[in-house]
Amino acid sequence: GIQVEQSPPDLILQEGANSTLRCNFSDSVNNLQWFHQNPWGQLINLFYIPSGTKQNGRLSATTVATERYSLLYISSSQTTDSGVYFCAVERLNSGGSNYKLTFGKGTLLTVNP
Amino acid sequence: DTEVTQTPKHLVMGMTNKKSLKCEQHMGHRAMYWYKQKAKKPPELMFVYSYEKLSINESVPSRFSPECPNSSLLNLHLHALQPEDSALYLCASSQIWTRSALPSSYNEQFFGPGTRLTVL
């Protein structure tokens, strides 16, 4: 199956700092999602981005599908950005969706005031 | 509306109890999922329903019994659980993507807030 590696595993920032999280995957994918899991456990959709670049406020993401990686940028970080960031990918089979998102192990981000 | 709801938020049960977790979505999605997540780990897929039929069972023990009564609801019935089953249980839903579908269709999964289960 597809392997997904995220780096760094842990990241500690001061409020206001910028950061880049990376997701490498071992095969071509049709679906790539970035999630933020808050301290209460809710998985929040940040981006659906199998290729290209998207921006949403202070967050942006870029996926370079040909080189099998995706980057999540967080600018001017806030304490509410703390939590675990997961990258998850899916490779479709010949019939369509196989429904299986393969998750990376996540990056634990702590933003200190 | 991109909301998936789950009840209860927290559940404590003994090993001889029977309980159910509930999940609901009103996004018109025809695929629904149960995941289990242990502390400091990513979610692990348990079951997938597509068009209200069980499509995937990831070799989950029979003490977990899923049910999809209609296209909006998904239940997980629990019986004779073990303490190691204590975890966060997440429900998700998505459209169903097929290669013949329009390019705008995709399998973006949306998650509920989870049920934190403790088995004593």
Side-chain angles (χ1 to χ4, degrees):
Chain A
I2 296 179
Q3 306 299 314
V4 180
E5 290 185 6
Q6 290 187 243
S7 59
D10 298 277
L11 184 58
I12 300 175
L13 301 174
Q14 287 299 119
E15 205 167 20
N18 302 331
S19 62
T20 301
L21 281 57
R22 187 175 180 103
C23 172
N24 292 335
F25 42 96
S26 61
D27 204 347
S28 59
V29 298
N30 305 95
N31 175 4
L32 188 147
Q33 292 183 244
W34 280 100
F35 297 95
H36 173 215
Q37 188 163 41
N38 65 24
W40 297 271
Q42 170 90 57
L43 269 172
I44 299 164
N45 289 45
L46 297 178
F47 295 102
Y48 170 84
I49 187 165
S51 64
T53 297
K54 291 185 178 179
Q55 179 154 8
N56 184 1
R58 295 181 296 102
L59 273 58
S60 63
T62 295
T63 298
V64 183
T66 53
E67 297 188 20
R68 300 181 185 167
Y69 72 88
S70 183
L71 302 174
L72 177 68
Y73 305 97
I74 304 174
S75 64
S76 303
S77 57
Q78 301 175 357
T79 56
T80 51
D81 295 331
S82 296
V84 181
Y85 289 80
F86 286 108
C87 168
V89 303
E90 179 193 10
R91 179 177 171 80
L92 299 176
N93 59 27
S94 59
S97 177
N98 67 18
Y99 306 111
K100 294 190 179 186
L101 274 182
T102 300
F103 283 79
K105 292 183 177 180
T107 292
L108 175 59
L109 175 65
T110 303
V111 181
N112 292 320
Chain B
D1 183 9
T2 56
E3 189 179 17
V4 178
T5 59
Q6 289 187 243
T7 55
K9 286 187 169 54
H10 300 274
L11 179 62
V12 179
M13 61 186 290
M15 289 190 285
T16 58
N17 293 155
K18 286 185 182 180
K19 297 286 185 184
S20 297
L21 310 184
K22 297 186 183 302
C23 173
E24 189 168 9
Q25 57 89 15
H26 293 288
M27 295 179 277
H29 291 168
R30 300 307 296 275
M32 296 187 75
Y33 310 75
W34 281 115
Y35 288 83
K36 173 182 178 180
Q37 187 179 21
K38 302 285 275 185
K40 301 187 187 300
K41 299 287 188 182
E44 295 177 2
L45 184 64
M46 300 173 71
F47 302 104
V48 180
Y49 274 81
S50 62
Y51 299 110
E52 296 86 70
K53 289 186 173 21
L54 185 64
S55 296
I56 295 175
N57 176 342
E58 292 286 88
S59 302
V60 179
S62 60
R63 57 186 183 268
F64 295 91
S65 176
E67 178 196 19
C68 190
N70 60 52
S71 60
S72 301
L73 293 174
L74 186 66
N75 297 323
L76 186 63
H77 302 297
L78 314 173
H79 173 55
L81 295 193
Q82 304 296 309
E84 59 265 29
D85 296 321
S86 298
L88 180 68
Y89 288 84
L90 295 162
C91 173
S93 71
S94 72
Q95 296 177 5
I96 291 181
W97 196 96
T98 64
R99 290 195 181 276
S100 61
L102 293 173
S104 60
S105 297
Y106 49 78
N107 186 27
E108 183 176 7
Q109 292 191 23
F110 295 87
F111 284 78
T115 293
R116 203 164 291 278
L117 173 68
T118 303
V119 182
L120 301 177

